[in-house]
């Protein structure tokens, strides 16, 4: 038996819940399912700290937000998507306010906004430094008020069902029982978030394993701009836990081993008329992470058991401001690093934070595979191009979650509630495959954890902050070997209740696909742009590469990279200088 819903949303984070609400709002007659491998409030959105960008102040304009985003992306974003994004972001944040989101306010009661890296005006709305928690909570409680939204909490999606070039639903496992179900639908919206766990040091939660990217890729939808991986300059060294950019927005300094604010020696492209933004620590994330590598090469970083670090100094901000604006930073430092930022320096290093690339969609969230939509970090619309500006991602989840939900609702309503018989057969085949895997006993098998650790090291060494042809070729060979070993990875736990080993195996399979797409796309882009820095091709090359990469899976399982022109509406490619 298959469960039927008109629209299936995979993912219960910011994008998924916003999409589900949009479907319910657009057409109350539709049945919507939200499937999530964790309880929705545990989605990674909950850990967003700094804020959400949208024009609010009277001296700010949509054009300025658009321009900052375009130049921040190193001109690789699609400008029609950016124009839609900046226009709809303020409406989305206001709607959230009406649904109950407690945005921080100025003393006069107006919405408070803070500065964020690469934005030349203050336009980042925040709820102290727990923005993601409040945003997700608001969406969750709003979703609860729609009885047509049915939730599959702690269900894991393993496959998208496709017939004749159209998506008709998914196969999912109920984690508590091991029950495998075919869940059919006329439209599927992927909102499964990013894939930071492909790398060893990351701010991303353990659940961010690129499942949705690999699901779409295997179903025949292309992935776009996968070579662009954002490093955040300030993660805690061992855990990778994020110390939000808000800490630097509020005035924090980055110091090398001599206590020197080293960023003054680097070109961050941030001359700006506004004194508050003259703060060099608020340069764009890619440039700050690259400056760290140069300091390391000069011997100016501090060695620790968890790699080289620099220090973030918040002491001059004082306890009062830290407790008011950065309480979560203080809590994280105390709990996970055993230090108090009011009196001590915070050790930090660049860590993988965000995927600019993802499932290729148009500005309605539709992928080239009919019936399949995507929104949020799993998708590449693209507003982020080669480098995302901090605080653009949460509003992206809202704006494009809403758009994908609306488009999928209209699409699903056009069809009867019947799916081809081949879909049910495919669901049965997938259930058999999973059951066989669970029962398979492999002699002398390869360990999942070993392959995962080696894959992460391969990615950091081959496609880290700086890459070159040799490092990428080596990484491609190593990944091919890891894939062979993965075929012999066995599962020791043959039980059906909460079998986390089976899930780790499925996630590793998805991560190996995503890792290969990153490496192959990076190898072919022979230029440096935004987060993709090739030491063998240090300049941006608009003639050859002002284009999105699109990687597709071939029938033999290998990948093939092609290119798609970038959409330019009003801002021709220029030099990447902020604040002008
Ligand atoms: C620590 C941190 C701080 C951040 N701070 C900010 C910030 O201040 N401002 C900002 O704009 N951005 C920030 N970001 C980025 C932003 O939070 C994320 O890009 C965004 O929240 C992603 O939302 P999402 O809905 O796309 O995915 P997620 O919130 O990651 O949700 C993914 C969902 O998909 C589900 N899922 C995944 N795979 C499967 C599967 N196989 N089967 C079933 N369900 C599945 C998960 O259960 C989950 O519900 C931050 C990111 C991090 C990591």
């Amino acid at each position: 038996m298959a469960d039927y819903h008109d629209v299936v949303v995979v993912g219960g984070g910011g994008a998924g819940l916003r999409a589900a609400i949009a479907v319910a709002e657009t057409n109350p007659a539709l049945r919507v399912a939200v499937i999530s491998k964790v309880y929705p409030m545990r989605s990674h959105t909950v850990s967003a700290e700094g804020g959400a960008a949208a024009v609010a102040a009277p001296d700010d304009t949509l054009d300025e937000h658009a321009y900052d985003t375009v130049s921040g992306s190193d001109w690789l974003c699609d400008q029609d998507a950016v124009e839609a994004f900046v226009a709809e972001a303020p409406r989305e944040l206001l709607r959230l306010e009406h649904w109950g989101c407690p945005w921080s306010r100025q003393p006069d009661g107006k919405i408070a906004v803070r500065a964020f890296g690469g934005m030349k005006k203050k336009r980042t709305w925040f709820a102290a430094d727990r923005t993601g928690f409040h945003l997700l909570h608001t969406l969750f409680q709003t979703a609860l008020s729609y009885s047509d939204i049915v939730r599959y909490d702690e269900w894991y999606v393993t496959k998208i069902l496709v017939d004749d070039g159209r998506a008709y639903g998914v196969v999912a496992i109920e984690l508590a029982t091991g029950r495998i179900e075919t869940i059919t639908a006329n439209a599927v919206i992927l909102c499964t978030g990013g894939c930071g766990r492909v790398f060893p040091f990351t701010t991303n939660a353990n659940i961010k394993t690129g499942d949705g990217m690999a699901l779409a890729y295997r179903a025949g939808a292309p992935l776009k701009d996968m070579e662009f991986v954002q490093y955040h300059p300030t993660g805690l060294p061992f855990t990778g836990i994020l110390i939000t950019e808000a800490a630097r927005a509020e005035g924090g300094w980055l110091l090398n081993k001599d206590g020197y604010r080293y960023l003054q020696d680097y070109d961050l492209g941030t001359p700006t008329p506004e004194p508050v933004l003259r703060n060099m620590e608020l340069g764009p994330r890619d440039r700050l992470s690259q400056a760290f590598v140069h300091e390391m090469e000069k011997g100016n970083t501090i060695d620790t058991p968890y790699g080289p670090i620099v220090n973030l100094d918040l002491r001059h901000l004082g306890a009062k401001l830290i407790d008011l604006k950065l309480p979560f930073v203080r809590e994280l430092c105390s709990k996970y690093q055993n230090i108090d930022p009011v009196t001590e320096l915070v050790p930090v290093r660049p860590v993988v934070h965000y995927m600019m690339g993802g499932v290729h969609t148009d500005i309605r969230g539709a992928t080239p595979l009919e019936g399949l939509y995507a929104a949020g970090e799993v998708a590449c619309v693209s507003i982020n191009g080669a480098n995302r500006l901090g605080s653009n991602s949460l509003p992206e989840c809202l704006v494009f979650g809403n758009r994908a939900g609306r488009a999928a609702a209209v699409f699903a309503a056009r069809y009867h509630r019947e799916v081809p018989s081949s879909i049910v057969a495919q669901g049965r085949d997938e259930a058999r495959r999973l059951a066989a895997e669970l029962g398979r006993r492999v002699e002398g098998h390869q360990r999942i954890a070993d392959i995962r650790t080696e894959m992460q090291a391969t990615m950091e060494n081959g496609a880290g902050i700086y890459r070159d042809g040799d490092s990428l070729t080596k990484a491609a060979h190593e990944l091919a070997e890891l894939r062979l070993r993965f075929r012999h990875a066995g599962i020791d736990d043959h039980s059906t209740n909460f079998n986390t080993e089976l899930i780790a195996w499925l996630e590793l399979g998805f991560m190996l696909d995503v890792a290969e797409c990153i490496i192959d796309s990076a190898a072919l882009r022979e230029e440096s742009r935004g987060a993709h820095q090739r030491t063998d091709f240090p300049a941006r090359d608009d003639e050859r590469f002002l284009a999105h990469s699109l990687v597709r899976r071939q029938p033999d399982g290998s990948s093939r990279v092609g290119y798609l022109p970038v959409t330019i509406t009003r801002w021709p490619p220029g030099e990447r200088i902020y604040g002008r």
Side-chain angles (χ1 to χ4, degrees):
M1 253 308 278
D3 283 358
Y4 176 86
H5 302 273
D6 296 291
V7 180
V8 161
V9 180
V10 187
L17 292 178
R18 184 66 191 90
I21 295 167
V23 176
E25 276 178 334
T26 306
N27 187 341
L30 296 180
R31 287 188 290 184
V32 195
V34 174
I35 309 176
S36 176
K37 65 177 172 176
V38 295
Y39 192 71
M41 274 306 296
R42 297 179 68 97
S43 304
H44 188 71
T45 298
V46 79
S47 56
E49 301 168 26
V55 169
D59 70 330
D60 197 6
T61 63
L62 298 182
D63 275 6
E64 285 173 282
H65 189 186
Y67 182 78
D68 287 350
T69 304
V70 170
S71 78
S73 82
D74 224 346
W75 273 269
L76 198 72
C77 61
D78 287 323
Q79 296 181 8
D80 54 347
V82 172
E83 291 195 61
F85 165 68
V86 298
E88 289 168 33
R91 273 181 253 157
E92 283 294 321
L93 296 193
L94 259 185
R95 188 168 300 164
L96 227 61
E97 153 97 2
H98 297 156
W99 287 342
C101 187
W103 296 116
S104 292
R105 298 185 174 276
Q106 299 170 5
D108 65 2
K110 295 208 173 93
I111 296 286
V113 281
R114 62 169 43 129
F116 239 66
M119 306 255 189
K120 65 177 179 283
K121 289 273 170 68
K122 285 187 181 185
R123 62 171 73 96
T124 298
W125 304 33
F126 56 98
D129 55 0
R130 294 188 177 93
T131 308
F133 169 83
H134 291 297
L135 182 141
L136 193 59
H137 201 267
T138 303
L139 289 171
F140 191 47
Q141 69 190 13
T142 305
L144 289 178
S145 67
Y146 289 93
S147 55
D148 290 328
I149 300 179
V150 176
R151 292 208 326 274
Y152 290 73
D153 292 345
E154 300 190 335
W155 282 69
Y156 186 90
V157 172
T158 65
K159 187 181 168 73
I160 297 172
L161 298 166
V162 179
D163 184 73
D164 201 17
R166 215 187 110 185
Y168 281 102
V170 299
V171 174
I173 309 174
E174 185 181 35
L175 299 182
T177 61
R179 184 157 66 105
I180 300 164
E181 199 75 44
T182 300
I183 303 172
T184 60
N186 272 329
V188 176
I189 311 178
L190 286 173
C191 299
T192 48
C195 64
R197 284 282 151 179
V198 169
F199 288 81
F201 293 104
T202 174
T203 62
N204 285 193
N206 279 331
I207 53 173
K208 296 196 72 171
T209 47
D211 303 2
M213 294 172 187
L215 283 166
Y217 179 65
R218 289 179 189 181
L223 304 183
K224 187 159 78 188
D225 293 340
M226 291 298 284
E227 59 272 44
F228 297 99
V229 180
Q230 178 165 79
Y231 277 74
H232 193 292
T234 57
L236 292 179
F238 171 50
T239 54
I241 286 173
L242 176 78
I243 300 300
T244 170
E245 192 160 298
R248 284 171 283 123
E250 296 302 337
W253 297 331
L254 281 169
L255 307 179
N256 69 13
K257 78 172 192 319
D258 303 317
Y260 174 67
R261 285 177 77 187
Y262 59 91
L263 288 173
Q264 59 194 287
D265 297 346
Y266 296 90
D267 173 18
L268 304 172
T270 49
T272 161
E274 269 196 63
V276 65
L277 295 182
R278 209 171 285 139
N279 185 348
M280 65 190 108
E281 275 80 6
L282 264 197
R285 292 174 177 178
D286 53 347
R287 300 263 171 104
L288 258 59
S289 298
Q290 290 150 19
F292 173 92
V293 174
H294 293 302
E295 282 297 289
M296 188 176 74
E297 286 165 356
K298 289 183 203 161
N300 290 342
T301 52
I302 304 159
D303 285 329
T304 75
Y306 308 111
I309 58 125
V310 289
N311 283 314
L312 176 68
D313 191 355
L314 304 179
R315 295 170 302 181
H316 54 285
L317 303 182
K320 197 168 159 217
L321 185 139
I322 290 177
D323 285 342
L324 182 69
K325 298 270 187 70
L326 305 167
F328 195 41
V329 166
R330 194 169 184 188
E331 185 183 326
L332 289 171
C333 287
S334 148
K335 282 201 176 135
Y336 295 96
Q337 204 71 36
N338 200 22
I339 52 170
D340 183 356
V342 171
T343 53
E344 290 166 282
L345 295 170
V346 184
V348 289
R349 59 163 289 165
V351 288
V352 166
H353 186 54
Y354 183 87
M355 273 305 288
M356 267 71 76
V359 183
H360 170 44
T361 74
D362 64 17
I363 59 174
R364 299 170 311 127
T367 76
L369 180 66
E370 212 186 359
L372 184 68
Y373 297 78
E377 193 171 341
V378 68
C380 183
V381 180
S382 131
I383 64 159
N384 300 308
N387 173 58
R388 171 182 75 106
L389 294 190
S391 76
N392 263 354
S393 175
L394 291 175
E396 177 182 358
C397 287
L398 300 171
V399 168
F400 292 99
N402 181 27
R403 282 177 160 249
R406 286 180 186 281
V410 171
F411 180 85
R414 290 214 300 261
Y415 297 92
H416 295 300
R417 287 177 169 166
E418 267 168 38
V419 296
S421 56
S422 78
I423 290 294
V424 182
Q426 276 182 46
R428 274 200 295 267
D429 288 349
E430 176 69 354
R432 268 197 288 272
R433 174 181 86 95
L434 296 171
E437 191 53 44
L438 211 51
R440 192 161 71 110
R441 281 164 170 79
V442 187
E443 288 302 317
H445 66 67
Q446 298 281 334
R447 314 287 319 173
I448 294 170
D450 290 343
I451 299 175
R452 187 174 51 217
T453 307
E454 286 177 48
M455 172 198 67
Q456 291 167 334
T458 292
M459 294 305 285
E460 176 93 351
N461 297 334
I465 295 173
Y466 284 102
R467 306 105 186 250
D468 64 24
D470 291 343
S471 77
L472 290 162
T473 307
K474 186 162 172 275
H477 288 313
E478 287 172 8
L479 277 181
E481 261 173 45
L482 289 169
R483 278 180 163 286
L484 285 178
R485 282 170 53 194
F486 178 66
R487 289 201 199 146
H488 302 286
I491 297 172
D492 291 325
D493 181 355
H494 301 286
S495 65
T496 48
N497 301 27
F498 286 112
N499 189 333
T500 50
E501 199 187 8
L502 175 67
I503 299 305
W505 177 78
L506 287 162
E507 287 177 340
L508 179 57
F510 287 148
M511 284 196 285
L512 285 167
D513 278 8
V514 170
E516 186 180 77
C517 293
I518 294 173
I519 296 291
D520 291 355
S521 307
L524 284 183
R525 186 176 285 276
E526 295 180 333
E527 66 157 354
S528 289
R529 185 187 294 269
H532 175 70
Q533 291 293 314
R534 292 269 308 240
T535 49
D536 47 352
F537 294 96
R540 192 173 93 186
D541 181 351
D542 285 343
E543 218 150 275
R544 288 176 69 206
F545 290 109
L546 186 59
H548 301 291
S549 65
L550 276 189
V551 55
R552 290 174 202 274
R553 190 164 191 262
Q554 301 303 295
D556 67 357
S558 65
S559 72
R560 181 133 160 236
V561 182
Y563 291 92
L564 184 75
V566 164
T567 305
I568 292 176
T569 56
R570 291 164 52 202
W571 297 279
E575 206 188 333
R576 203 171 145 219
I577 295 173
Y578 297 95
R580 279 192 189 151

